[in-house]
Amino acid sequence: AEARYEWYFARDQRVSASVFYKKIKNPIEAFVSSDSNALVTSFANAPEAKLYGAELELQKYFSLASMSEAAFWQSRRLALIANYTYTKSELKVGANDPARVFASNANKATDYFVDGTPLTGQSDHLINLQVGLEDQDNLSQQTLMLSYASERVTSRGLSGFPDVIEKPGFRVDFVARQGI
């Protein structure tokens, strides 16, 4: 289920907000096992997962024509795009729930999953910010992108070992494109 509000206050510009709830049957989860002194990532279906959250996004443009009378600035605009997503997820695992595991005789979900733990790959907080310079008359864009993701589980630990946690943190990217 999802509820979304979108307000388009000008051409190409918007504010949107949404809340969501998802119930996933048999989500695919990665887990780590040992095979001949090497760690191996395998996959199994957990019985069920639930996740809920909210998202807020803003996209706004500012004309740069007033900066100078030079032709360079007359068709350029500054682009600001910001997005924040909060997601809470958890596995639902009962004592008698089966697990679907490829090439394994073990089929008890509690051998692989712990009730209430978050889904693999799911950060609670995601933040994205884009600041760009665009030429509206020609294909020309230069965009600086800043992203943040909070820590997340990347693989389940097996047999009492802790889960493998990733701390992605901040990331900076720059993208430029120019039509010729």
Side-chain angles (χ1 to χ4, degrees):
E2 180 177 345
R4 176 176 289 276
Y5 173 79
E6 295 179 338
W7 176 38
Y8 293 87
F9 54 90
R11 182 183 170 115
D12 298 332
Q13 300 181 79
R14 70 179 182 278
V15 172
S16 63
S18 66
V19 292
F20 55 88
Y21 172 84
K22 298 177 184 184
K23 182 177 175 181
I24 304 170
K25 184 177 179 181
N26 302 123
I28 300 170
E29 292 282 292
F31 67 90
V32 176
S33 61
S34 178
D35 181 22
S36 301
N37 296 324
L39 293 177
V40 178
T41 298
S42 298
F43 299 92
N45 289 93
E48 183 178 294
K50 294 182 181 180
L51 62 108
Y52 60 89
E55 181 178 27
L56 183 62
E57 184 169 11
L58 169 69
Q59 182 171 325
K60 176 80 175 138
Y61 294 96
F62 300 92
S63 173
L64 298 177
S66 63
M67 287 188 65
S68 169
E69 291 185 22
F72 176 83
W73 295 105
Q74 295 309 302
S75 62
R76 298 210 187 275
R77 65 182 182 175
L78 177 69
L80 293 176
I81 303 170
N83 173 283
Y84 171 72
T85 304
Y86 170 77
T87 305
K88 183 69 174 173
S89 65
E90 61 181 38
L91 294 177
K92 292 295 187 185
V93 182
N96 297 319
D97 285 339
R100 297 183 189 147
V101 183
F102 179 73
S104 174
N105 292 331
N107 62 359
K108 193 173 175 187
T110 53
D111 289 343
Y112 298 91
F113 311 109
V114 175
D115 186 57
T117 56
L119 282 164
T120 56
Q122 185 65 59
S123 294
D124 286 351
H125 304 279
L126 296 173
I127 302 169
N128 297 294
L129 176 63
Q130 295 182 37
V131 180
L133 181 63
E134 298 181 354
D135 186 333
Q136 297 178 84
D137 293 340
N138 299 300
L139 178 58
S140 176
Q141 293 178 316
Q142 301 79 36
T143 306
L144 181 65
M145 296 178 282
L146 305 154
S147 301
Y148 169 79
S150 61
E151 74 176 36
R152 57 187 168 222
V153 175
T154 57
S155 291
R156 299 278 163 225
L158 193 59
S159 303
F161 286 99
D163 291 338
V164 177
I165 305 291
E166 175 184 43
K167 295 182 180 181
F170 288 94
R171 179 178 173 155
V172 178
D173 290 300
F174 181 75
V175 176
R177 76 178 181 167
Q178 179 64 52
I180 52 173

